[in-house]
Amino acid sequence: MILAFVVIVIGGIGSIRGALAGALLVGVVDTLSRTLLPVLTRSLAPEGLMADLGAALSSMLIYILMAAVLFFKPEGLFPARG
Amino acid sequence: MHSNLHHQLPLPRTLALLAVFLAFPLGAQALGQEFYVSMACRLMIFALAASSLNLILGFGGMVSLGHAAYFGAGAYAVGILMQHGVASAWISWPLAMLVGGLLALAIGALCLRTRGIYFIMITLAFAQMVYYLFISLRSYGGEDGLNLMSRSALGLPGVDLSGDTAFYYVVLALLAACLLLLHRLVNSRFGRVLQAVRENETRMAAIGYPVFRYKLTCFAIAGALAGLAGALIANQNMLVSPSLVHWTQSGSLMVMVILGGAGYFWGGALGAFALLLLEEVLSGYTEHWQLPLGVLLLIVVLLLPKGMASLADRFKTKGAGK
């Protein structure tokens, strides 16, 4: 449910185009970061805090994305017209 | 909304309420129901957290869904310090307030640029970031949370917080002090400006008030109070877990404020007591206590859209009409 909210907010509330673009963006970012980030941080530092950081960062990334989108475009990526 | 921005705190009634709370542990002990002392502690801690949310939601008009972040950060500050051998309440509790306040300051500085539902979502996003941060801290328990070896030490002769009664009185004293502070705050010039900003932000900006700074200050104060509540709940549960930071926690704090009456001085405390007591009573009857709880909450919200605290207003206007 929270994930759907994130999608809508990134795309722009009330915007169908935004929902599609937001869903694709969130899906791709979430899946890729969950796959790649832990591998990346583990290759940088195999043990300790850095290894954990990858997993944490991949869970956080869609929220970071949402915060960034709202910060730069407070109405979402594709604001509803009218 | 309110014709009168002044929030009264009638002295006799307040003192009577305080006396009831002071006498409560003695009564519970006399009846052999010590369990209720610990439960009352929990109620008071959540009353503090909900009152701090009421400051930004009710008085500042900023609907924040990220309050659990400051609450949980305060709890983790105590838990992490305890793990490193710092058990003194005089160090860890103010530090928990500082952590909560600074976190709120940082999050608020970014979030307060947005409005409405976007503000709700961005505060939620930051709270979830904090949540995943704590989950990933494996050296501090990760998903399982952090067990506290003991409660914080107050360092006063004859006061041992490991006993529920002593802890109860400390929580009561802190709650009373914080409520007094909040009362002074909402009735001060700062509080008036804040409530005016809630009613009409553009007008206040046009008059020349630095609206952003007022809102940010309010946000940080609420964060610090939530941090203190977090420090207390860590001591109450002797456990700090990421579930304290989860967004459902923010949601239940919000339900408490709305149920009790956003923008009413007693709203937060009243809502916290009502919600947690209902939870306690209903879960004694049935395993599926959430269902009747939800129905009851719906009924209250439908009948009293401004919350339970508005009931007092109704009686007052009826009396004045006659």
Side-chain angles (χ1 to χ4, degrees):
Chain A
M1 190 197 83
I2 279 285
L3 213 58
F5 264 128
V6 173
V7 166
I8 299 297
V9 167
I10 286 179
I13 294 169
S15 148
I16 309 280
R17 271 193 319 151
L20 179 66
L24 283 174
L25 194 62
V26 166
V28 169
V29 165
D30 196 36
T31 315
L32 283 185
S33 67
R34 269 173 211 278
T35 323
L36 296 180
L37 267 181
V39 180
L40 182 73
T41 51
R42 225 172 284 142
S43 68
L44 287 174
E47 285 295 314
L49 201 64
M50 270 298 272
D52 293 347
L53 200 68
L57 206 61
S58 60
S59 318
M60 280 199 260
L61 203 64
I62 55 163
Y63 296 104
I64 295 175
L65 179 72
M66 175 162 100
V69 165
L70 283 181
F71 190 74
F72 291 109
K73 298 197 73 169
E75 299 269 280
L77 289 179
F78 298 92
R81 278 162 296 189
Chain B
M1 266 166 83
H2 312 290
S3 53
N4 196 348
L5 291 182
H6 187 77
H7 296 268
Q8 285 174 339
L9 193 66
L11 196 63
R13 260 184 267 171
T14 314
L15 285 180
L17 193 68
L18 191 63
V20 168
F21 273 93
L22 281 173
F24 180 77
L26 303 177
Q29 265 163 12
L31 296 171
Q33 304 282 351
E34 276 93 350
F35 162 74
Y36 288 105
V37 175
S38 147
M39 201 182 91
C41 255
R42 208 170 95 83
L43 292 185
M44 289 195 295
I45 293 167
F46 274 95
L48 175 58
S51 293
S52 75
L53 180 61
N54 195 14
L55 180 66
I56 47 178
L57 199 157
F59 293 100
M62 297 170 269
V63 186
S64 157
L65 193 48
H67 217 60
Y70 327 126
F71 187 58
Y76 264 95
V78 169
I80 289 173
L81 277 178
M82 186 81 78
Q83 185 158 348
H84 290 292
V86 183
S88 168
W90 298 104
I91 298 173
S92 59
W93 292 5
L95 203 75
M97 286 181 82
L98 190 72
V99 167
L102 285 181
L103 190 66
L105 195 69
I107 292 179
L110 292 171
C111 293
L112 285 172
R113 292 161 45 99
T114 57
R115 300 264 169 281
I117 188 139
Y118 296 99
F119 179 76
I120 303 180
M121 295 313 295
I122 197 165
T123 46
L124 171 72
F126 278 107
Q128 286 295 89
M129 279 183 221
V130 175
Y131 171 71
Y132 285 115
L133 178 74
F134 284 130
I135 279 207
S136 72
L137 288 177
R138 258 182 230 156
S139 40
Y140 297 115
E143 275 182 69
D144 299 328
L146 196 60
N147 274 311
L148 265 63
M149 283 164 285
S150 63
R151 282 191 176 147
S152 297
L154 214 48
L156 295 177
V159 182
D160 184 12
L161 288 192
S162 55
D164 274 342
T165 312
F167 187 60
Y168 174 93
Y169 282 117
V170 169
V171 173
L172 180 61
L174 281 173
L175 176 68
C178 288
L179 283 180
L180 203 62
L181 173 85
L182 280 174
H183 182 253
R184 295 297 297 262
L185 199 66
V186 296
N187 284 326
S188 66
R189 185 173 166 278
F190 175 81
R192 296 285 162 88
V193 172
L194 207 61
Q195 291 174 75
V197 167
R198 175 192 66 194
E199 298 301 327
N200 193 335
E201 190 171 338
T202 318
R203 184 180 292 171
M204 287 310 277
I207 295 172
Y209 282 100
V211 169
F212 180 80
R213 253 187 279 164
Y214 271 96
K215 286 168 94 172
L216 190 59
T217 311
C218 170
F219 216 73
I221 293 170
L225 291 181
L228 179 63
L232 293 176
I233 202 78
N235 278 288
Q236 159 77 11
N237 294 347
M238 308 269 275
L239 169 76
V240 184
S241 75
S243 69
L244 285 177
V245 200
H246 197 239
W247 72 271
T248 48
Q249 188 73 61
S250 305
S252 71
L253 283 175
M254 208 173 186
V255 169
M256 286 172 194
V257 172
I258 292 169
L259 181 72
Y264 288 91
F265 177 68
W266 289 109
L270 202 60
F273 273 78
L275 188 74
L276 293 176
L277 277 179
L278 269 178
E279 227 179 82
E280 189 67 31
V281 171
L282 289 176
S283 61
Y285 282 110
T286 163
E287 202 178 310
H288 310 285
W289 52 271
Q290 278 114 331
L291 185 65
L293 182 70
V295 173
L296 273 173
L297 290 184
L298 267 181
I299 293 173
V300 171
V301 171
L302 283 176
L303 293 180
L304 292 167
K306 284 188 190 168
M308 286 159 50
S310 66
L311 210 59
D313 277 3
R314 259 185 216 198
F315 285 123
K316 234 178 266 168
T317 45
K318 253 186 201 166
K322 279 173 192 170

